[in-house]
Amino acid sequence: VQLQASGGGLVQAGGSLRLSCAATGTGNFFRINTVAWYRQAPGEQRELVAGMVGTGDRINYGDSVKGRFAIHRDNANDMVYLQMNSLEPEDTAVYYCATRSGGITPNTVAYNYWGQGTLVTVSS
């Protein structure tokens, strides 16, 4: 299984971006695994931004993005998205998608598969 994150770019503060995470090498992957979006700013630790369990009935968000970001899944295409609205310069980071078979946890070592990361830069 390989994860590929995409959709990053440069956006002005207050703008929006949508990140995508695709899983290749297997089908219905996100419906049977927890998927999480993390981000890592320069010099900072990797931070959990959002997570969704396979059933879709539990979603967690990091405190800094609640009300602005939304994670959702397209089952037909086995894709997961992170819709990011009202972006702030503090949201600038490399964003990663990751999956695990258990529940949502902020512990990065618990995730088995990681995408390569996509850079989001928010200008003030």
Side-chain angles (χ1 to χ4, degrees):
V1 176
Q2 288 188 327
L3 301 182
Q4 184 168 7
S6 61
L10 174 64
V11 64
Q12 288 189 329
S16 298
L17 279 176
R18 189 180 76 160
L19 305 183
S20 301
C21 182
T24 59
T26 186
N28 298 317
F29 188 69
F30 294 127
R31 280 195 277 188
I32 58 174
N33 286 281
T34 288
V35 60
W37 284 98
Y38 279 82
R39 68 185 181 187
Q40 188 166 23
E44 301 291 333
Q45 290 187 335
R46 205 163 285 193
E47 172 193 16
L48 178 65
V49 174
M52 173 188 287
V53 298
T55 57
D57 60 0
R58 183 179 177 191
I59 295 174
N60 288 356
Y61 293 101
D63 289 341
S64 60
V65 305
K66 283 179 182 177
R68 301 188 298 122
F69 290 12
I71 184 171
H72 59 100
R73 188 173 64 205
D74 177 353
N75 290 334
N77 295 299
D78 210 16
M79 297 283 292
V80 171
Y81 303 98
L82 183 69
Q83 179 66 43
M84 306 186 296
N85 300 324
S86 301
L87 283 162
E88 303 167 354
E90 292 75 22
D91 296 317
T92 295
V94 177
Y95 285 71
Y96 301 87
C97 57
T99 62
R100 68 186 299 262
S101 58
I104 303 168
T105 174
N107 187 357
T108 57
V109 299
Y111 290 84
N112 307 107
Y113 299 101
W114 289 84
Q116 82 287 4
T118 184
L119 176 63
V120 172
T121 304
V122 184
S123 63
S124 57

